[in-house]
Every structure is written in C-alpha cells, then in structure tokens.
Amino acid sequence: MALTDDAIARIRGMISSGELPPGARLPPEPQLAAQMGLSRSGVREAVKVLESARVLDVRRGDGTYVTSLAPRLLLEGLGVAVELLRDDTLLEVMEVRRMLEPVATGLAALRMTDSELDELDRILQDMRAAADDAEKLIQFDTAFHHTVVATTGNETLTSLLDGLSGRTLRARVWRGLIEANAAHQTIEEHHAIYLALRSRDQLLAQATALMHVNTSEAWLRTVLAAQATGT
C-alpha cells in the first residue's frame, strides 16, 4: 500500500505540475515505473485507483490518458458516497446544503436567462401535475434545483450540490411530505423561488431558497425520527 500511495502521489504531482495535462497519454507502465523509480505493481495499482477516481481513463488496447479533470467528472463520486451515508449523517448533508444552495440561488437570480426561467416554469408545472407521485416529484425536484444552480455557470458548485442532493435524500423527504399531505406546500415554496428568480431579486431568491431547504431539513428530521421509533 505504501508503494501504491507513493505512486498515486507521484502521478498526481505530474498532473498538478502540468507535466501530464488533461488529455495527455501516460507513458507505458514499464517506462512510467522506471521513471518514478517504483515497482510496476505499485504503478499498476495506482492507475486503478486514479481510474476509479475518474482522474485517469484506461482505454484497453490504446493506453491510459488523463481525463478532462472537469469538476462534474471528478466530483461524480460524491453522489454515490451520499447515497451510502447513515441516517444521522444525512442531516449533516442537509446542513451543508443549507449553507450552499441559498447563496447559489441568489447568484442565479442575477444570471438566469429568460429561456432558462421559462424552462424552470415548465418544470414547476410538471411538479404541480405530479403532486401525489413521489417518484415523479423526485425527478422534477432534481431537475428544478439543478437548473437553478447550473445557471450560475459554476460547474464546481453545481457538481457539489448535485452530489449533496441525492435520490435517497430527496425520496425520504418527498415521501414524508406526501404522507403528511404537505407536498403542495413545498411545491409552493418552489414557486416562490421561481418568482424571486423571475424578478431578478438576489436577496429574495436567497431567502426563499433558505426557507425551502429548512422545510426539507425539518421533514427529513421528522421522517428519520419516525423510523427510529418505528412509527
């Protein structure tokens, strides 16, 4: 493991320094091992680890390449990790989302185009039509928030919030809302966010988004508490 860790550090250093820029092809394994003064097995394992992290792209019969290193690619694993978190940790995820999403929504109010606002309106109408269908609401809710944050033009922020708002998290909130006949209230919160964005009011957009995330967090607490007590 120590040799593998060393090889990972060396390859990452070559990428960070620009010696291996995005799209570059790594030297063949024997050459790379000799160049770094490490065993071929250590280099081979390092490549596997970096491939899993989406840093490297191993093309069978062609070679190993550095990926684009785009945030959406490198942060893709965050969503998988969130899906595996235990119930108590999901509330920490919601807390992080509460820190980031309102600010992102406020920024979106300054940057959204009219066509993007029209698309958001269509998604909102789809949410209204699916008010009693948890599966469809999860789909439209995901699309709504992704559309908002993506318009900031900040790919890192978009990838982070996409990862922090996984399907499991949304499913628990929406199913709890439907069971408590509160889904319509939360859809209206989405409508308030849309109206704030349409008015280009940054502070109002930030405030409405904060209220919405607080509502989701409160319902998640309710759902998790009910599961813990078996009710």
Side-chain angles (χ1 to χ4, degrees):
M1 287 303 298
L3 291 175
T4 300
D5 289 344
D6 194 9
I8 291 171
R10 297 279 192 90
I11 295 172
R12 286 175 58 188
M14 293 166 72
I15 294 172
S16 298
S17 69
E19 184 178 349
L20 288 173
R25 186 177 187 275
L26 268 67
E29 183 183 291
Q31 181 181 336
L32 186 60
Q35 182 178 334
M36 295 191 297
L38 298 172
S39 68
R40 290 181 60 179
S41 62
V43 171
R44 188 178 307 119
E45 291 304 314
V47 167
K48 289 180 181 179
V49 171
L50 292 172
E51 180 186 18
S52 297
R54 305 300 181 90
V55 173
L56 296 179
D57 177 20
V58 178
R59 305 174 190 173
R60 308 303 172 191
D62 184 9
T64 299
Y65 294 80
V66 179
T67 66
S68 66
L69 302 179
R72 59 178 170 73
L73 185 67
L74 300 183
L75 295 173
E76 191 175 75
L78 177 61
V80 177
V82 168
E83 295 294 320
L84 297 174
L85 292 176
R86 298 177 305 173
D87 289 350
D88 54 346
T89 317
L90 287 177
L91 291 173
E92 293 185 6
V93 173
M94 289 297 295
E95 189 174 63
V96 176
R97 184 181 165 195
R98 177 154 40 89
M99 294 174 186
L100 296 176
E101 191 164 314
V103 176
T105 305
L107 185 59
L110 304 178
R111 298 183 178 178
M112 290 191 83
T113 64
D114 288 342
S115 61
E116 287 166 341
L117 284 163
D118 291 341
E119 173 62 19
L120 203 62
D121 186 32
R122 286 191 288 270
I123 295 170
L124 187 59
Q125 298 313 311
D126 289 335
M127 291 183 74
R128 291 188 188 284
D132 299 317
D133 188 328
E135 290 303 313
K136 287 185 178 179
L137 279 171
I138 294 164
Q139 175 187 340
F140 297 136
D141 182 46
T142 300
F144 184 95
H145 291 287
H146 174 80
T147 298
V148 171
V149 180
T151 60
T152 65
N154 188 319
E155 189 178 347
T156 300
L157 181 60
T158 304
S159 299
L160 279 173
L161 283 169
D162 282 348
L164 290 170
S165 305
R167 182 175 180 81
T168 297
L169 193 59
R170 292 185 187 279
R172 292 190 178 190
V173 171
W174 277 111
R175 284 172 186 149
L177 288 165
I178 289 173
E179 289 171 6
N181 295 316
H184 289 279
Q185 173 191 337
T186 306
I187 292 172
E188 288 307 313
E189 291 178 4
H190 285 78
H191 186 224
I193 293 171
Y194 165 74
L195 290 177
L197 291 167
R198 178 66 80 175
S199 67
R200 311 289 184 182
D201 190 325
Q202 181 180 14
L203 293 179
L204 183 59
Q206 185 169 334
T208 53
L210 177 59
M211 183 177 71
H212 170 58
V213 176
N214 281 342
T215 298
S216 299
E217 184 177 351
W219 276 107
L220 180 62
R221 288 183 185 277
T222 301
V223 171
L224 294 180
Q227 289 178 350
T229 59
T231 58

